[in-house]
Amino acid sequence: MTYTVNCSIILTELPLLERPAAAKAAGYDAVEFWWPFSEAVPGGDEVDAFVNAVQDAGVQLTGLNFFAGDMPGGDRGLVSWIGREDEFADNIEVVVGIGERLGTKAFNALYGNRIPGADPKAQDDLAVKNLAAAGRAVAKIGGVVLLEPVSGMDTYPLKTADDALAIIERVKNEEGVDNVKLLADFYHLAVNNDDVSAVIADHAAEFGHIQIADAPGRGEPGTGELPLATWIAEAKAGGYAGVIGLEYKPTQADAFAWTRA
C-alpha cells in the first residue's frame, strides 16, 4: 500500500461512487477522498452508499476530509470560520461514524479562509478549539487530524509548514490534544516557496500524511520540475512510514501511466 489514490481529483470522469472500484481495477488497494457530500450532515442513505462503494471495491479508505464548505466556490474549510461552529461540530460526528465503519485513521481538516471583517486572532482561537474537538473525537477510533498548508488562495492563512505547525503546537499546549499532525503536501509547499527538503529533514517522522503532485501544473509526477522521488525517499529515511497520497490532476487518459514508466 505505497500509494493511496485521491478519488476526488483523479478518476473524475467517473461518477464518484464508481471511483473506488476503478482505483482497484488500476491496481491500487487504497483510496482517499475530500468530503464526498454537498452538506456537512448528509442523509443516512448517502452515507451508506458511499461506505458500500468503498467496501464493495475492496479498497481501504485511508483518508477523508472534513466538510470544507463550497470548495468550487472558493471555500477552504470551516475550522476557523466564525459563525459555523455548530456545522463543524455536527460534521465531526458524521466523519467519525464513517471512519469507524471503514477503518479510516486520517482526517484532513482544512483550516478555512480569512473572513472579511473578522479578527484573525479570533479565527485562530476558534481553530484551536475546533481542531482539539476533532482530535478528541477521532482519537476514539485511533485516528489523527491532519492540518494542511494550501496554495492558490491568498485568503488561506496556512501557507508553509511552520504556519501549520504553530497551530498544531497551540492545540497541544492549550488543549492537551496531541493527535493533530501536519499534512505535508509537497506540491502546495513547493508552490508556496517553502523549503521542502528542510521541512522533511526537520519533521518527516512527525508527518501525519504526505500528498504529491508535480509543479508547475499540479499534474502527475514527471510532468513538472519537482524532485518528488527524492523527497519521498528523504521522508522515508527520516522516519515517515505512511502511504503517499496521489492528489494530482492527470494530464492523460491513463492517470497512472507514470507509475509503470
CSV table of all heavy atoms in Angstrom, one decimal, residues 198-257:
chain,number,residue,atom,x,y,z
A,198,ALA,N,14.1,21.0,3.7
A,198,ALA,CA,14.3,21.3,5.1
A,198,ALA,C,13.1,20.9,6.0
A,198,ALA,O,13.3,20.4,7.1
A,198,ALA,CB,14.5,22.8,5.3
A,199,VAL,N,11.9,21.0,5.5
A,199,VAL,CA,10.7,20.5,6.2
A,199,VAL,C,10.8,19.0,6.5
A,199,VAL,O,10.5,18.5,7.6
A,199,VAL,CB,9.4,20.9,5.5
A,199,VAL,CG1,8.2,20.2,6.1
A,199,VAL,CG2,9.2,22.4,5.4
A,200,ILE,N,11.2,18.3,5.5
A,200,ILE,CA,11.3,16.9,5.6
A,200,ILE,C,12.4,16.5,6.6
A,200,ILE,O,12.2,15.7,7.5
A,200,ILE,CB,11.7,16.2,4.2
A,200,ILE,CG1,10.5,16.4,3.3
A,200,ILE,CG2,12.0,14.8,4.4
A,200,ILE,CD1,10.8,16.1,1.8
A,201,ALA,N,13.6,17.2,6.5
A,201,ALA,CA,14.7,16.9,7.4
A,201,ALA,C,14.3,17.2,8.9
A,201,ALA,O,14.7,16.4,9.8
A,201,ALA,CB,15.9,17.8,7.0
A,202,ASP,N,13.5,18.2,9.1
A,202,ASP,CA,13.1,18.6,10.5
A,202,ASP,C,11.9,17.8,11.0
A,202,ASP,O,11.8,17.7,12.2
A,202,ASP,CB,12.8,20.1,10.5
A,202,ASP,CG,14.1,20.9,10.3
A,202,ASP,OD1,15.2,20.4,10.4
A,202,ASP,OD2,13.9,22.1,9.9
A,203,HIS,N,11.0,17.3,10.1
A,203,HIS,CA,9.7,16.9,10.6
A,203,HIS,C,9.2,15.6,10.0
A,203,HIS,O,8.0,15.2,10.3
A,203,HIS,CB,8.7,18.0,10.4
A,203,HIS,CG,9.0,19.3,11.0
A,203,HIS,ND1,9.0,19.5,12.4
A,203,HIS,CD2,9.4,20.5,10.5
A,203,HIS,CE1,9.3,20.8,12.7
A,203,HIS,NE2,9.6,21.4,11.5
A,204,ALA,N,9.9,14.9,9.2
A,204,ALA,CA,9.4,13.8,8.5
A,204,ALA,C,8.7,12.7,9.4
A,204,ALA,O,7.7,12.2,9.1
A,204,ALA,CB,10.5,13.1,7.7
A,205,ALA,N,9.4,12.5,10.5
A,205,ALA,CA,8.9,11.4,11.4
A,205,ALA,C,7.5,11.9,12.1
A,205,ALA,O,6.8,11.0,12.6
A,205,ALA,CB,9.9,11.1,12.5
A,206,GLU,N,7.2,13.2,12.0
A,206,GLU,CA,6.0,13.7,12.6
A,206,GLU,C,4.9,13.9,11.6
A,206,GLU,O,3.8,14.2,12.0
A,206,GLU,CB,6.3,15.1,13.3
A,206,GLU,CG,7.5,15.1,14.2
A,206,GLU,CD,8.0,16.5,14.5
A,206,GLU,OE1,7.2,17.4,14.5
A,206,GLU,OE2,9.2,16.6,14.7
A,207,PHE,N,5.2,13.7,10.3
A,207,PHE,CA,4.1,13.9,9.3
A,207,PHE,C,2.9,13.0,9.6
A,207,PHE,O,3.1,11.8,9.8
A,207,PHE,CB,4.6,13.6,7.9
A,207,PHE,CG,5.6,14.5,7.3
A,207,PHE,CD1,6.4,14.2,6.2
A,207,PHE,CD2,5.9,15.8,7.9
A,207,PHE,CE1,7.3,15.1,5.6
A,207,PHE,CE2,6.8,16.7,7.4
A,207,PHE,CZ,7.5,16.3,6.2
A,208,GLY,N,1.7,13.5,9.5
A,208,GLY,CA,0.6,12.7,9.5
A,208,GLY,C,0.2,12.0,8.2
A,208,GLY,O,-0.4,11.0,8.2
A,209,HIS,N,0.7,12.7,7.1
A,209,HIS,CA,0.4,12.2,5.8
A,209,HIS,C,1.2,13.0,4.8
A,209,HIS,O,1.6,14.1,5.1
A,209,HIS,CB,-1.1,12.3,5.5
A,209,HIS,CG,-1.5,11.7,4.2
A,209,HIS,ND1,-1.0,10.5,3.7
A,209,HIS,CD2,-2.5,12.1,3.2
A,209,HIS,CE1,-1.6,10.2,2.5
A,209,HIS,NE2,-2.5,11.1,2.3
A,210,ILE,N,1.5,12.4,3.6
A,210,ILE,CA,2.1,13.1,2.5
A,210,ILE,C,1.2,12.9,1.3
A,210,ILE,O,0.6,11.9,1.0
A,210,ILE,CB,3.5,12.4,2.2
A,210,ILE,CG1,4.5,12.7,3.3
A,210,ILE,CG2,4.0,12.9,0.8
A,210,ILE,CD1,5.9,12.0,3.1
A,211,GLN,N,1.1,14.0,0.6
A,211,GLN,CA,0.5,14.0,-0.7
A,211,GLN,C,1.4,14.6,-1.8
A,211,GLN,O,2.3,15.4,-1.4
A,211,GLN,CB,-0.9,14.8,-0.7
A,211,GLN,CG,-1.9,14.2,0.1
A,211,GLN,CD,-3.2,15.0,0.3
A,211,GLN,OE1,-3.1,16.2,0.2
A,211,GLN,NE2,-4.3,14.4,0.4
A,212,ILE,N,1.2,14.2,-3.0
A,212,ILE,CA,2.1,14.7,-4.1
A,212,ILE,C,1.4,15.1,-5.3
A,212,ILE,O,0.3,14.5,-5.7
A,212,ILE,CB,3.2,13.6,-4.5
A,212,ILE,CG1,2.6,12.3,-5.0
A,212,ILE,CG2,4.1,13.4,-3.3
A,212,ILE,CD1,3.6,11.3,-5.6
A,213,ALA,N,1.9,16.0,-6.0
A,213,ALA,CA,1.6,16.4,-7.4
A,213,ALA,C,2.9,17.2,-7.9
A,213,ALA,O,3.6,17.7,-7.1
A,213,ALA,CB,0.4,17.3,-7.5
A,214,ASP,N,3.0,17.3,-9.2
A,214,ASP,CA,4.2,18.0,-9.7
A,214,ASP,C,3.8,19.4,-10.0
A,214,ASP,O,2.7,19.8,-10.0
A,214,ASP,CB,4.6,17.3,-11.0
A,214,ASP,CG,6.2,17.3,-11.2
A,214,ASP,OD1,6.8,18.2,-10.6
A,214,ASP,OD2,6.7,16.4,-11.8
A,215,ALA,N,4.9,20.2,-10.1
A,215,ALA,CA,4.7,21.7,-10.4
A,215,ALA,C,5.7,22.1,-11.4
A,215,ALA,O,6.8,21.6,-11.4
A,215,ALA,CB,4.8,22.5,-9.1
A,216,PRO,N,5.3,23.1,-12.3
A,216,PRO,CA,4.0,23.7,-12.3
A,216,PRO,C,2.9,22.8,-12.9
A,216,PRO,O,3.2,21.8,-13.6
A,216,PRO,CB,4.3,24.9,-13.2
A,216,PRO,CG,5.4,24.5,-14.1
A,216,PRO,CD,6.3,23.6,-13.3
A,217,GLY,N,1.7,23.1,-12.7
A,217,GLY,CA,0.6,22.5,-13.3
A,217,GLY,C,-0.2,21.6,-12.4
A,217,GLY,O,-1.4,21.2,-12.8
A,218,ARG,N,0.3,21.0,-11.4
A,218,ARG,CA,-0.3,20.1,-10.5
A,218,ARG,C,-0.7,18.8,-11.2
A,218,ARG,O,-1.7,18.1,-10.9
A,218,ARG,CB,-1.6,20.7,-9.8
A,218,ARG,CG,-2.0,20.0,-8.5
A,218,ARG,CD,-3.2,20.5,-7.8
A,218,ARG,NE,-3.4,19.9,-6.5
A,218,ARG,CZ,-4.4,20.1,-5.7
A,218,ARG,NH1,-5.3,21.1,-6.0
A,218,ARG,NH2,-4.5,19.5,-4.6
A,219,GLY,N,0.1,18.4,-12.2
A,219,GLY,CA,0.0,17.1,-12.8
A,219,GLY,C,0.7,16.0,-12.1
A,219,GLY,O,1.2,16.1,-11.0
A,220,GLU,N,0.6,14.8,-12.8
A,220,GLU,CA,1.3,13.7,-12.2
A,220,GLU,C,2.8,13.8,-12.1
A,220,GLU,O,3.4,14.6,-12.9
A,220,GLU,CB,0.9,12.4,-12.9
A,220,GLU,CG,1.3,12.3,-14.4
A,220,GLU,CD,0.3,12.9,-15.3
A,220,GLU,OE1,-0.5,13.8,-14.9
A,220,GLU,OE2,0.2,12.4,-16.5
A,221,PRO,N,3.5,13.0,-11.3
A,221,PRO,CA,4.9,13.1,-11.2
A,221,PRO,C,5.6,12.9,-12.6
A,221,PRO,O,5.1,12.1,-13.4
A,221,PRO,CB,5.3,11.9,-10.3
A,221,PRO,CG,4.1,11.8,-9.4
A,221,PRO,CD,2.9,12.1,-10.2
A,222,GLY,N,6.5,13.7,-12.9
A,222,GLY,CA,7.2,13.7,-14.2
A,222,GLY,C,6.7,14.8,-15.2
A,222,GLY,O,7.3,15.0,-16.3
A,223,THR,N,5.6,15.4,-14.9
A,223,THR,CA,5.1,16.5,-15.8
A,223,THR,C,5.6,17.9,-15.4
A,223,THR,O,5.4,18.8,-16.2
A,223,THR,CB,3.5,16.5,-15.7
A,223,THR,OG1,3.1,16.7,-14.4
A,223,THR,CG2,2.9,15.2,-16.2
A,224,GLY,N,6.3,18.0,-14.3
A,224,GLY,CA,6.8,19.2,-13.9
A,224,GLY,C,8.3,19.1,-13.5
A,224,GLY,O,9.0,18.3,-14.0
A,225,GLU,N,8.7,19.9,-12.5
A,225,GLU,CA,10.1,20.1,-12.2
A,225,GLU,C,10.4,19.6,-10.7
A,225,GLU,O,11.6,19.7,-10.3
A,225,GLU,CB,10.5,21.5,-12.4
A,225,GLU,CG,10.3,22.0,-13.8
A,225,GLU,CD,10.5,23.5,-13.9
A,225,GLU,OE1,10.7,24.2,-12.9
A,225,GLU,OE2,10.4,24.0,-15.0
A,226,LEU,N,9.5,19.2,-10.0
A,226,LEU,CA,9.7,18.9,-8.6
A,226,LEU,C,10.4,17.5,-8.4
A,226,LEU,O,10.1,16.5,-9.1
A,226,LEU,CB,8.4,18.8,-7.8
A,226,LEU,CG,7.6,20.1,-7.7
A,226,LEU,CD1,6.4,20.0,-6.8
A,226,LEU,CD2,8.4,21.3,-7.3
A,227,PRO,N,11.4,17.4,-7.5
A,227,PRO,CA,12.1,16.2,-7.2
A,227,PRO,C,11.3,15.3,-6.3
A,227,PRO,O,11.8,14.9,-5.2
A,227,PRO,CB,13.4,16.6,-6.6
A,227,PRO,CG,13.1,17.9,-5.9
A,227,PRO,CD,12.0,18.5,-6.7
A,228,LEU,N,10.1,14.9,-6.7
A,228,LEU,CA,9.2,14.2,-5.8
A,228,LEU,C,9.8,12.8,-5.3
A,228,LEU,O,9.7,12.5,-4.1
A,228,LEU,CB,7.9,13.9,-6.5
A,228,LEU,CG,7.1,15.2,-6.9
A,228,LEU,CD1,5.9,14.9,-7.8
A,228,LEU,CD2,6.6,15.9,-5.6
A,229,ALA,N,10.4,12.1,-6.2
A,229,ALA,CA,11.0,10.8,-5.8
A,229,ALA,C,12.1,11.0,-4.7
A,229,ALA,O,12.2,10.2,-3.7
A,229,ALA,CB,11.6,10.0,-7.0
A,230,THR,N,12.9,12.0,-4.9
A,230,THR,CA,13.9,12.3,-3.9
A,230,THR,C,13.3,12.7,-2.5
A,230,THR,O,13.7,12.3,-1.5
A,230,THR,CB,14.8,13.5,-4.4
A,230,THR,OG1,15.5,13.1,-5.6
A,230,THR,CG2,15.8,13.9,-3.3
A,231,TRP,N,12.3,13.6,-2.6
A,231,TRP,CA,11.6,14.0,-1.3
A,231,TRP,C,10.9,12.8,-0.6
A,231,TRP,O,11.0,12.7,0.6
A,231,TRP,CB,10.6,15.1,-1.7
A,231,TRP,CG,11.2,16.4,-2.0
A,231,TRP,CD1,12.5,16.8,-1.7
A,231,TRP,CD2,10.6,17.5,-2.7
A,231,TRP,NE1,12.7,18.1,-2.1
A,231,TRP,CE2,11.5,18.5,-2.7
A,231,TRP,CE3,9.3,17.7,-3.2
A,231,TRP,CZ2,11.2,19.8,-3.3
A,231,TRP,CZ3,9.0,18.9,-3.8
A,231,TRP,CH2,10.0,19.9,-3.9
A,232,ILE,N,10.3,11.9,-1.4
A,232,ILE,CA,9.7,10.7,-0.8
A,232,ILE,C,10.8,9.9,-0.1
A,232,ILE,O,10.6,9.4,1.0
A,232,ILE,CB,8.9,9.9,-1.8
A,232,ILE,CG1,7.7,10.7,-2.3
A,232,ILE,CG2,8.5,8.6,-1.3
A,232,ILE,CD1,7.0,10.1,-3.5
A,233,ALA,N,11.9,9.7,-0.8
A,233,ALA,CA,12.9,8.9,-0.2
A,233,ALA,C,13.5,9.5,1.0
A,233,ALA,O,13.8,8.9,2.0
A,233,ALA,CB,14.1,8.7,-1.3
A,234,GLU,N,13.6,10.8,1.0
A,234,GLU,CA,14.1,11.6,2.2
A,234,GLU,C,13.2,11.4,3.4
A,234,GLU,O,13.6,11.2,4.5
A,234,GLU,CB,14.3,13.0,1.9
A,234,GLU,CG,15.5,13.3,0.9
A,234,GLU,CD,15.6,14.8,0.5
A,234,GLU,OE1,14.7,15.5,0.8
A,234,GLU,OE2,16.6,15.1,-0.1
A,235,ALA,N,11.9,11.5,3.0
A,235,ALA,CA,10.8,11.4,4.1
A,235,ALA,C,10.9,10.0,4.7
A,235,ALA,O,10.8,9.8,6.0
A,235,ALA,CB,9.5,11.7,3.6
A,236,LYS,N,11.0,9.0,3.9
A,236,LYS,CA,11.0,7.6,4.4
A,236,LYS,C,12.3,7.4,5.3
A,236,LYS,O,12.3,6.8,6.3
A,236,LYS,CB,11.0,6.6,3.3
A,236,LYS,CG,9.6,6.6,2.6
A,236,LYS,CD,9.5,5.5,1.5
A,236,LYS,CE,8.1,5.4,0.9
A,236,LYS,NZ,8.1,4.4,-0.2
A,237,ALA,N,13.4,7.9,4.8
A,237,ALA,CA,14.7,7.8,5.5
A,237,ALA,C,14.6,8.6,6.9
A,237,ALA,O,15.2,8.2,7.8
A,237,ALA,CB,15.8,8.3,4.7
A,238,GLY,N,13.8,9.6,6.9
A,238,GLY,CA,13.6,10.4,8.1
A,238,GLY,C,12.6,9.9,9.1
A,238,GLY,O,12.3,10.5,10.1
A,239,GLY,N,11.9,8.8,8.7
A,239,GLY,CA,11.0,8.1,9.7
A,239,GLY,C,9.6,8.1,9.3
A,239,GLY,O,8.7,7.6,10.0
A,240,TYR,N,9.2,8.7,8.1
A,240,TYR,CA,7.8,8.6,7.6
A,240,TYR,C,7.5,7.2,7.1
A,240,TYR,O,8.2,6.7,6.3
A,240,TYR,CB,7.5,9.6,6.5
A,240,TYR,CG,6.1,9.5,6.0
A,240,TYR,CD1,5.1,10.0,6.8
A,240,TYR,CD2,5.8,9.0,4.8
A,240,TYR,CE1,3.8,9.9,6.4
A,240,TYR,CE2,4.5,8.9,4.4
A,240,TYR,CZ,3.5,9.4,5.2
A,240,TYR,OH,2.2,9.3,4.7
A,241,ALA,N,6.5,6.6,7.7
A,241,ALA,CA,6.2,5.2,7.3
A,241,ALA,C,4.8,5.0,6.7
A,241,ALA,O,4.3,3.9,6.6
A,241,ALA,CB,6.3,4.3,8.6
A,242,GLY,N,4.1,6.2,6.4
A,242,GLY,CA,2.8,6.1,5.9
A,242,GLY,C,2.7,6.0,4.4
A,242,GLY,O,3.7,5.8,3.7
A,243,VAL,N,1.5,6.0,3.9
A,243,VAL,CA,1.3,5.9,2.4
A,243,VAL,C,1.5,7.3,1.8
A,243,VAL,O,1.5,8.3,2.5
A,243,VAL,CB,-0.1,5.4,2.1
A,243,VAL,CG1,-0.3,4.0,2.5
A,243,VAL,CG2,-1.2,6.3,2.8
A,244,ILE,N,1.6,7.3,0.5
A,244,ILE,CA,1.8,8.6,-0.3
A,244,ILE,C,0.5,8.8,-1.0
A,244,ILE,O,0.0,8.0,-1.8
A,244,ILE,CB,2.9,8.5,-1.3
A,244,ILE,CG1,4.2,8.0,-0.6
A,244,ILE,CG2,3.1,9.8,-2.0
A,244,ILE,CD1,4.7,9.0,0.5
A,245,GLY,N,-0.2,10.0,-0.7
A,245,GLY,CA,-1.4,10.3,-1.4
A,245,GLY,C,-1.2,10.9,-2.8
A,245,GLY,O,-0.4,11.8,-2.9
A,246,LEU,N,-1.8,10.3,-3.8
A,246,LEU,CA,-1.7,10.8,-5.2
A,246,LEU,C,-2.9,11.8,-5.3
A,246,LEU,O,-4.0,11.5,-5.4
A,246,LEU,CB,-1.9,9.7,-6.2
A,246,LEU,CG,-0.9,8.5,-6.0
A,246,LEU,CD1,-1.1,7.4,-7.1
A,246,LEU,CD2,0.6,9.0,-6.0
A,247,GLU,N,-2.5,13.1,-5.3
A,247,GLU,CA,-3.5,14.2,-5.4
A,247,GLU,C,-3.1,15.1,-6.5
A,247,GLU,O,-2.8,16.3,-6.3
A,247,GLU,CB,-3.6,14.9,-4.0
A,247,GLU,CG,-4.9,15.7,-3.9
A,247,GLU,CD,-5.0,16.6,-2.7
A,247,GLU,OE1,-4.0,17.3,-2.4
A,247,GLU,OE2,-6.0,16.5,-2.0
A,248,TYR,N,-3.2,14.6,-7.7
A,248,TYR,CA,-2.8,15.4,-8.9
A,248,TYR,C,-3.9,15.4,-9.9
A,248,TYR,O,-4.9,14.6,-9.9
A,248,TYR,CB,-1.5,14.9,-9.5
A,248,TYR,CG,-1.5,13.4,-9.9
A,248,TYR,CD1,-2.2,13.0,-11.0
A,248,TYR,CD2,-0.9,12.5,-9.0
A,248,TYR,CE1,-2.2,11.6,-11.3
A,248,TYR,CE2,-0.9,11.1,-9.4
A,248,TYR,CZ,-1.5,10.7,-10.5
A,248,TYR,OH,-1.5,9.4,-10.9
A,249,LYS,N,-3.8,16.3,-10.9
A,249,LYS,CA,-4.7,16.4,-12.0
A,249,LYS,C,-4.1,15.7,-13.2
A,249,LYS,O,-3.1,16.2,-13.8
A,249,LYS,CB,-5.0,17.9,-12.3
A,249,LYS,CG,-5.7,18.7,-11.2
A,249,LYS,CD,-5.9,20.1,-11.6
A,249,LYS,CE,-6.5,20.9,-10.5
A,249,LYS,NZ,-6.7,22.4,-10.8
A,250,PRO,N,-4.6,14.5,-13.6
A,250,PRO,CA,-4.0,13.8,-14.6
A,250,PRO,C,-3.9,14.6,-15.9
A,250,PRO,O,-4.9,15.3,-16.3
A,250,PRO,CB,-4.9,12.5,-14.8
A,250,PRO,CG,-5.6,12.4,-13.4
A,250,PRO,CD,-5.8,13.8,-13.0
A,251,THR,N,-2.8,14.4,-16.7
A,251,THR,CA,-2.7,15.1,-17.9
A,251,THR,C,-2.9,14.2,-19.1
A,251,THR,O,-2.9,14.7,-20.3
A,251,THR,CB,-1.3,15.7,-18.1
A,251,THR,OG1,-0.3,14.6,-18.1
A,251,THR,CG2,-1.0,16.6,-16.9
A,252,GLN,N,-3.2,12.9,-18.9
A,252,GLN,CA,-3.5,12.0,-20.0
A,252,GLN,C,-4.6,11.0,-19.5
A,252,GLN,O,-4.9,10.9,-18.3
A,252,GLN,CB,-2.3,11.2,-20.4
A,252,GLN,CG,-1.5,10.6,-19.3
A,252,GLN,CD,-0.2,10.0,-19.8
A,252,GLN,OE1,-0.1,9.3,-20.8
A,252,GLN,NE2,0.9,10.2,-19.0
A,253,ALA,N,-5.1,10.3,-20.5
A,253,ALA,CA,-6.3,9.4,-20.2
A,253,ALA,C,-5.9,8.4,-19.2
A,253,ALA,O,-6.8,8.1,-18.3
A,253,ALA,CB,-6.7,8.8,-21.5
A,254,ASP,N,-4.7,7.8,-19.2
A,254,ASP,CA,-4.3,6.8,-18.2
A,254,ASP,C,-3.6,7.6,-17.1
A,254,ASP,O,-2.5,8.0,-17.2
A,254,ASP,CB,-3.3,5.8,-18.8
A,254,ASP,CG,-2.9,4.7,-17.9
A,254,ASP,OD1,-3.2,4.9,-16.7
A,254,ASP,OD2,-2.3,3.8,-18.3
A,255,ALA,N,-4.4,7.8,-16.0
A,255,ALA,CA,-3.9,8.6,-14.9
A,255,ALA,C,-2.7,8.1,-14.2
A,255,ALA,O,-2.0,8.8,-13.5
A,255,ALA,CB,-5.1,8.8,-13.9
A,256,PHE,N,-2.5,6.8,-14.4
A,256,PHE,CA,-1.4,6.1,-13.6
A,256,PHE,C,-0.3,5.6,-14.5
A,256,PHE,O,0.5,4.8,-14.0
A,256,PHE,CB,-2.0,4.9,-12.8
A,256,PHE,CG,-3.2,5.3,-12.0
A,256,PHE,CD1,-4.5,4.9,-12.4
A,256,PHE,CD2,-3.1,6.1,-10.9
A,256,PHE,CE1,-5.6,5.3,-11.6
A,256,PHE,CE2,-4.2,6.5,-10.1
A,256,PHE,CZ,-5.4,6.1,-10.5
A,257,ALA,N,-0.2,6.0,-15.7
A,257,ALA,CA,0.8,5.5,-16.6
A,257,ALA,C,2.2,5.8,-16.1
A,257,ALA,O,3.1,5.0,-16.3
A,257,ALA,CB,0.7,6.2,-18.0
